[in-house]
Each structure stands twice: as C-alpha cells, then as structure tokens.
Amino acid sequence: MGGPLRVDHAVTSGTFSLDGETFDVDNNVWVVGDDDECVVIDAPHSVDDILAVVAGRRVKAILLTHAHDDHSRVAPALREAVVAPIFLHPDDKPLWSLVHQDYLWDLDLPDGWELSVAGTTVRTLHTPGHAPGACCFLVEDLGCVFTGDTLFHGGPGATGRSFSDRTVLESSIRERLFGLPDDTVVHTGHGEDTTVGAERAASAGW
C-alpha cells in the first residue's frame, strides 16, 4: 500500500523580486503524502528540485501559500510536469499577475477548504497580511502547519512591501494560528521549523 504518512523537505535557491528590488533567497519545499501520492506546497525556483522530493509519486495538487515569485515562479512548469492543478487564494491575483502574465492557477483556495491525500486531510487557513491571499495549510494528523511567509521561527513574516500589512498579518497569526495546540510544528517557507507554542510565547515582544 501507500506506506506511512510523512512530510518530505528540500531547500532550493533562487531570487525574490518585488517593488523593483531583487534578493537571493533559499526556499523550503514541502511535500505531504505517502509512498503513492502527495501534495506539493509552494513551487519556488526549480522544478527539478521539487521533482526530486516528489520522487515519482502521483501529485494531487500544487498548493501555493501565496503568489510571490519565490513561491509560485515554477508552478505552471511543475503543473505540466506532474499533471496536477494549482490552487491559490484569489486575493493574490495582483501578485500572481506580476509573475505570470500568460498563465492562471486552476482552482481557488477558500478559507476552510480541505483536500484529502494519503489518508489525511490538509485544511486551508486564510491568513492575509504578508500577502492578501496568503494561506497556511494544517495537517492535524501530523501535528503540523505549513505557514509559508506568514509565521517564521522568530515571528511574523515581512511586511512593508506592496500588498502587505503588518497589522493584518499579526491579527491573522493570533486569530488563526495561535489557537492551535502548543506542540504544533510550524513548517515555514524559509528557514528552520518552530512551534506554535514557542512563537506564541515570544509574541509579547512584537
């Protein structure tokens, strides 16, 4: 059969560009599934790097935490390679349009939407602030949440650029993420893991 449910991970390198500036950046690639099928969370710099983590499994969906270019750049090429739909929250259309003029995503990600994969459920939490359509993906069976650039080890994601809002971001984190159990592992879009409890405890310093 499909074997145990698991999270696979790789780091891939490239650039992030917005508001006329470009930065080198390392992105986490997350794949949730078993030996047979999986979902990919975010599609950053390299299709080959993502395919190495997929390792020949059937991809049910490409889930985008948001549409910044370092999270969505290779999504159309990955879609073609694995024949799976791209999911994105529609509020991120302005950011998607900065990256992809000739392609659209396939299906909208509403808040609370659930996807079944490998015998578990991935649930969407709309967490605007870093980007208007930013979403996190909760997998309760694994005790983890994939936060993209909404919440990092050390606090909230970046704001101050186009389409971002610090006050909205902090509200999203407090209302949508800090209600999760303390031991929920936070798999971030960049950098190391943390836990909901650790970040809640540190949030008094924001």
Side-chain angles (χ1 to χ4, degrees):
M1 296 295 290
L5 178 68
R6 68 183 190 273
V7 176
D8 294 304
H9 170 240
V11 177
T12 184
S13 300
T15 61
F16 163 65
S17 298
L18 189 64
D19 297 337
E21 296 183 278
T22 297
F23 306 91
D24 293 330
V25 65
D26 295 332
N27 282 66
N28 292 320
V29 173
W30 300 104
V31 176
V32 180
D34 58 15
D35 292 339
D36 295 333
E37 64 178 20
C38 63
V39 296
V40 175
I41 298 173
D42 284 340
H45 316 290
S46 165
V47 171
D48 287 343
D49 288 349
I50 299 169
L51 291 178
V53 184
V54 169
R57 290 175 282 176
R58 180 169 73 93
V59 178
K60 293 193 67 174
I62 301 162
L63 306 178
L64 300 183
T65 60
H66 61 297
H68 283 154
D69 64 349
D70 62 320
H71 291 257
S72 73
R73 181 181 289 114
V74 302
L78 181 63
R79 171 174 59 189
E80 183 174 338
V82 301
V83 192
I86 300 167
F87 289 79
L88 178 71
H89 194 284
D91 287 357
D92 253 23
K93 184 176 181 179
L95 286 168
W96 174 273
S97 299
L98 294 175
V99 185
H100 303 291
Q101 289 78 42
D102 300 325
Y103 304 96
L104 287 173
W105 64 96
D106 298 290
L107 295 163
D108 290 345
L109 269 177
D111 182 52
W113 177 81
E114 295 182 344
L115 174 69
S116 296
V117 61
T120 194
T121 299
V122 181
R123 179 153 57 93
T124 302
L125 307 175
H126 181 213
T127 52
H130 177 73
C135 290
C136 298
F137 301 108
L138 176 65
V139 185
E140 290 183 313
D141 287 344
L142 291 171
C144 66
V145 63
F146 300 86
T147 57
D149 291 1
T150 293
L151 180 64
F152 291 125
H153 184 283
T159 52
R161 297 189 176 275
S162 296
F163 307 105
S164 66
D165 187 299
R166 174 76 179 199
T167 300
V168 172
L169 176 60
E170 289 185 9
S171 294
S172 290
I173 293 170
R174 295 184 190 281
E175 294 172 9
R176 306 309 308 278
L177 299 180
F178 281 175
L180 299 174
D182 281 356
D183 60 354
T184 303
V185 175
V186 176
H187 295 304
T188 65
H190 309 270
E192 61 187 288
D193 292 347
T194 182
T195 65
V196 166
E199 298 310 316
R200 189 192 302 109
S203 66
W206 297 355

